[in-house]
Amino acid sequence: MLRIYIVLLCAIFISPSAWAVCTLARGQPTTLAINSQLITISADAAIDKTTPIAQYDSPVLGSRIGYDLCLDGTEYGKRVIGLTGQDATTRIYQTNITGIGVKLLFSNGTAFGNFPSTTKVSSPDMPTTLDMREGSFYRVQFFKTGELKLTDPAGDLILSPGLIAYNYLMSDNPSSYMLNLSVDDIKIISTPSCTADGAKTIDFNTVTPALLSAGVSRDLNFSITCKSDYGNYAAKASMTTTTPSSDGSFIRVKDAAGSQGKLGIRITDSSGQVMKIDGTTTEMKNSISQGPADFAWKAMLIASDVSRPAGGVFTAKAEIVFDIQ
């Protein structure tokens, strides 16, 4: 029997590109979340692109995320999702609200880095490891970058809920993330900034018994001017005193002898209605868009007892309280 033996020789060439690249060896890709937040800003807040009006940190990464066999030149970095219009100087992005910007930062626990960024592994001689440290976290800062025009007193939405940032490895794609940042609703409300008139002094001058019997009236005009990010505002005024009558209908006045039972001051609003001076009745000025909210009240000095007050200077104090909406 004749046999022919054949020897097969083969060579297998393994190129570096066929090696496993950046194999996950420690931990798991993770999402960190910032819960719903409501930012409050004053209508007179200055435009400032360096000092944030609000700042929120994500929870920190609890355990290390590590990769082995990362080759020289392997890319990693960080990106935002759904944010546009970044100012190259300040690194601030636009938000849903004109005049409010957002800046994202990432910390490895020792230093902060801006978004976006791209880095490559530098290990020309052999594969290396790449780890994201425990204690890493995201920081989100909000800035007033322009004048505001808000519409919802319950809160205008600055950032929509969802993923807004990620740290990636090898491929600049959210699916290649090592770490993600998600947020719930981030909203903002604004409080009016107001300037009211200074203290008012009402001088009844010399009052005779005859004038007192008829009632001596003086004007009590005052105003408040507010700036609102909602385009207009409403001003509600009431009055309080530490010396009310038992029924709250007038202010008890102290005469020259120190008695508070013989004179009173009754307050009426711009429509002539009697104001309770315990804060329970109010006058409202609605939809003020420009200029002051003006109030034209009157103060009437009345005799509150059958006996005459002592001659001389009499005094009384009260306070106007505003509620701005």
Side-chain angles (χ1 to χ4, degrees):
M1 179 179 289
L2 183 64
R3 292 188 175 95
I4 299 175
Y5 294 94
I6 300 174
V7 177
L8 301 177
L9 300 177
C10 66
I12 300 175
F13 297 94
I14 301 176
S15 68
S17 62
W19 297 346
V21 180
C22 280
T23 302
L24 180 64
R26 294 165 293 284
Q28 293 292 329
T30 302
T31 297
L32 303 178
I34 294 176
N35 295 329
S36 296
Q37 303 292 337
L38 181 62
I39 299 171
T40 300
I41 188 172
S42 174
D44 65 348
I47 295 172
D48 189 339
K49 298 180 182 180
T50 58
T51 304
I53 59 172
Q55 174 176 289
Y56 305 106
D57 290 348
S58 74
V60 299
L61 182 63
S63 59
R64 184 171 297 224
I65 304 172
Y67 296 79
D68 292 343
L69 303 176
C70 294
L71 301 181
D72 182 52
T74 299
E75 182 176 306
Y76 61 96
K78 50 187 181 289
R79 298 287 188 270
V80 298
I81 302 174
L83 297 177
T84 60
Q86 187 185 45
D87 184 315
T89 301
T90 63
R91 300 294 187 99
I92 296 173
Y93 291 91
Q94 296 173 357
T95 69
N96 296 336
I97 305 297
T98 300
I100 297 294
V102 62
K103 182 177 182 179
L104 275 66
L105 298 166
F106 174 74
S107 172
N108 61 5
T110 58
F112 284 98
N114 288 300
F115 282 77
S117 72
T118 302
T119 309
K120 292 188 177 182
V121 171
S122 179
S123 182
D125 298 328
M126 61 183 297
T128 187
T129 62
L130 182 66
D131 281 33
M132 180 166 288
R133 301 175 185 173
E134 61 273 23
S136 298
F137 67 96
Y138 294 100
R139 173 167 290 175
V140 180
Q141 297 177 322
F142 294 93
F143 298 84
K144 182 176 180 179
T145 59
E147 294 299 329
L148 302 182
K149 292 184 179 180
L150 304 180
T151 60
D152 188 353
D156 287 69
L157 188 65
I158 299 177
L159 289 182
S160 301
L163 294 174
I164 63 168
Y166 62 96
N167 288 54
Y168 70 89
L169 178 62
M170 293 188 288
S171 176
D172 180 3
N173 190 294
S175 63
S176 300
Y177 78 96
M178 294 182 287
L179 198 63
N180 271 339
L181 173 64
S182 71
V183 297
D184 288 336
D185 292 354
I186 308 291
K187 295 183 177 182
I188 188 168
I189 59 174
S190 175
T191 58
S193 171
C194 301
T195 302
D197 289 345
K200 297 285 184 178
T201 299
I202 301 174
D203 190 349
F204 285 93
N205 300 318
T206 301
V207 179
T208 65
L211 288 174
L212 183 60
S213 298
V216 183
S217 181
R218 295 288 186 267
D219 290 336
L220 175 54
N221 298 325
F222 60 93
S223 66
I224 187 168
T225 303
C226 298
K227 178 182 179 182
S228 172
D229 287 326
Y230 297 96
N232 56 55
Y233 67 96
K236 183 165 59 176
S238 60
M239 177 169 278
T240 62
T241 184
T242 58
T243 59
S245 62
S246 59
D247 61 359
S249 64
F250 61 87
I251 306 164
R252 289 189 296 143
V253 175
K254 182 185 292 186
D255 66 16
S259 173
Q260 286 188 328
K262 300 177 181 180
L263 290 172
I265 296 177
R266 180 172 290 127
I267 304 296
T268 54
D269 66 11
S270 303
S271 301
Q273 301 298 311
V274 175
M275 298 287 295
K276 291 281 189 179
I277 43 74
D278 56 5
T280 58
T281 59
T282 62
E283 181 178 356
M284 176 76 83
K285 300 291 185 179
N286 289 303
S287 300
I288 308 298
S289 58
Q290 297 291 335
D294 294 314
F295 296 83
W297 290 6
K298 288 189 179 296
M300 177 177 285
L301 184 66
I302 58 174
S304 60
D305 194 275
V306 292
S307 59
R308 291 185 177 182
V313 177
F314 55 86
T315 58
K317 293 182 180 180
E319 185 175 38
I320 296 168
V321 180
F322 293 103
D323 181 12
I324 308 299
Q325 302 171 1

